Structure formats: C-alpha cells, structure tokens
Amino acid sequence: MKSVKYIYQLGLFSLLLLVGTSCRDEAKNPIPEWEAGLHALGQFVLPNGSLLPATDDATAAIAQTTINSQVFFQASNLAGSSIRFTVKPVSIDGRVEPDKMDLFIKMKEGYTDKDGNAKVAVHGITATTGLYIPQGVKFASFSGLSNRQGNQVTLTAAQVFEFFKSATFDYGDGKGKVSVFSRRANGNFAAGDNFEVSWSVTGKNGLVYNSWSGVYICSDTNATGGEVPGVNCFLRWIVR
C-alpha cells in the first residue's frame, strides 16, 4: 500500500514539474544569455622590432616595471623620444566581426598635496562612466578592420605633449585649476610622468565594446592583461 502511495506522489510531483517548466516565460527569465563580444591586444614594438608581449597567446605575466625599463620617453631628450605599439581587435570565438577601433590616451602625474600626501593627477579624462571604459584624449581611429589585424602606431613625445599642453588641474592648494605645465621649469614632461593608451572596438553588429573584466582581461599588476591570454585593456609607459 505504501508503494502505491509513493508511486502516486512521485507521479504527481513529475506532472507538476512538467507543467511548471512548460509554462515558464523565457522572456522573463532573470538570467541573461551570454553573448559573444570583442576584445583587443596591444603590444609594444621594441627598437629591434620584437613585440612585448612577444606572442598573441603569451601567458607569462609581464610586470609594468619590465615595460618601464624598455619603453619610455627620455626626460633628457624629449625631442628625440618616441614609442611604438600595435593594437589588433580580437574576436576570441569568431562570432562577432570587428569594424572600427578608437584609441585614447591619458596622462598621470604624481604630486604632493598641501598635507604632504602623495597623490596622482589624471589628465585628459573626458568621461567617468566606468573603471575600464577607455577615457582620455581620442587620438586615432581605424576602420574596415578584420579579426586580429594589427594597426601600428608611433607616438613622439612632441605629439603627446600637443594632446595635453592645455591641461589644467586643481592641486588642492587653494589656487583652483591651473595650467599643468606652467608649474614646471621646463614647461614639458618630467621624469615620473606616465601615459596610458586604451581602446574601444566597434563590431559590425553596431555594438561598441569598451569595458572588460578587471580580473580576467585587465590587470594593474600584469602589463599583458588578466587571466585570459592574448587580450588586454591598455598599454602604459613612463618618462624616465
């Protein structure tokens, strides 16, 4: 008798489960379906023509200090300083085709506030819509791209200075916003300044990809990116 009762209860439960799942409105499902996206990979081109990171699928972490020892503007020779890099859009699964890429640059300057605390002034930011959304001065665009097609860029110190020569900042000393370079004896970049190039990628689907995971794609401690090999969010270099 108990066996019949259990069979009845099991059958009733199965029927209710079937009815419940068959009537579910997938449009109201709170769990979104993951979609494909676009990423990018930036690599410095060293004077001997080699790339840093060396390969698209590089997995070894490269510290920013390693970059700084090989890629920099020279404070004592700004007129002759330049850096080269290449950036390519990356469709990891090949489901979204890239069409356009925009490059942005911002400058970071260390200073000491009125209380003696070390602070960082960021110049060139035009929007504050997210931690890893490209911010800064837009200085280059590429269109008609294909997956993993590299686009090489050379930036001289003189070109970068043009991007920021009119920058102003409030250093919190009661003077309000002042010209960044009027505070300097040489009126130009100085050792310790650093720069960051970032990017956004537009797909042929019309969507713009400019924000990625700070853990898996972007990394402040690994200059090649996060835990996904072959993609990153920015390239950084210094004045030394």
Side-chain angles (χ1 to χ4, degrees):
M1 196 66 176
K2 287 185 177 180
S3 297
V4 174
K5 180 180 179 181
Y6 291 148
I7 293 175
Y8 171 77
Q9 290 177 339
L10 179 61
L12 180 60
F13 174 77
S14 300
L15 178 62
L16 291 174
L17 181 63
L18 177 62
V19 172
T21 54
S22 63
C23 295
R24 185 174 65 178
D25 186 350
E26 291 296 334
K28 296 180 180 179
N29 186 355
I31 303 176
E33 180 180 352
W34 292 105
E35 297 182 2
L38 290 173
H39 302 78
L41 174 66
Q43 296 168 285
F44 284 109
V45 182
L46 301 181
N48 63 4
S50 62
L51 299 176
L52 189 64
T55 61
D56 288 6
D57 60 350
T59 56
I62 300 177
Q64 186 61 47
T65 52
T66 300
I67 299 286
N68 294 345
S69 68
Q70 301 181 68
V71 182
F72 54 87
F73 289 155
Q74 191 172 354
S76 61
N77 183 28
L78 290 172
S81 291
S82 64
I83 61 103
R84 284 191 297 161
F85 61 89
T86 181
V87 184
K88 62 183 71 176
V90 177
S91 176
I92 295 177
D93 56 13
R95 293 172 58 190
V96 180
E97 294 184 56
D99 180 55
K100 178 184 175 184
M101 177 178 287
D102 295 317
L103 303 184
F104 305 81
I105 186 170
K106 56 187 173 185
M107 171 187 169
K108 297 182 180 180
E109 170 200 18
Y111 71 98
T112 302
D113 70 10
K114 63 180 181 180
D115 298 318
N117 301 310
K119 295 289 186 69
V120 176
V122 183
H123 308 303
I125 292 179
T126 56
T128 55
T129 52
L131 182 57
Y132 286 104
I133 291 179
Q135 300 169 337
V137 179
K138 179 179 173 181
F139 68 93
S141 294
F142 304 97
S143 58
L145 304 180
S146 58
N147 190 23
R148 300 184 184 277
Q149 172 189 337
N151 300 276
Q152 187 164 300
V153 176
T154 298
L155 281 177
T156 67
Q159 287 173 317
V160 176
F161 180 75
E162 287 297 312
F163 300 150
F164 300 104
K165 66 180 182 181
S166 299
T168 60
F169 189 79
D170 186 348
Y171 293 91
D173 54 6
K175 298 179 181 179
K177 285 190 175 183
V178 298
S179 169
V180 171
F181 296 103
S182 67
R183 304 171 73 245
R184 303 182 175 192
N186 69 344
N188 208 319
F189 299 135
D193 291 339
N194 62 88
F195 308 94
E196 178 181 298
V197 165
S198 56
W199 40 78
S200 67
V201 186
T202 302
K204 290 184 178 178
N205 58 4
L207 297 179
V208 178
Y209 301 88
N210 58 9
S211 182
W212 298 277
S213 165
V215 175
Y216 298 104
I217 307 299
C218 313
S219 173
D220 284 326
T221 58
N222 176 2
T224 60
E227 296 182 12
V228 179
V231 294
N232 51 20
C233 294
F234 46 73
L235 291 174
R236 292 171 174 161
W237 72 98
I238 65 169
V239 178
R240 52 172 291 188

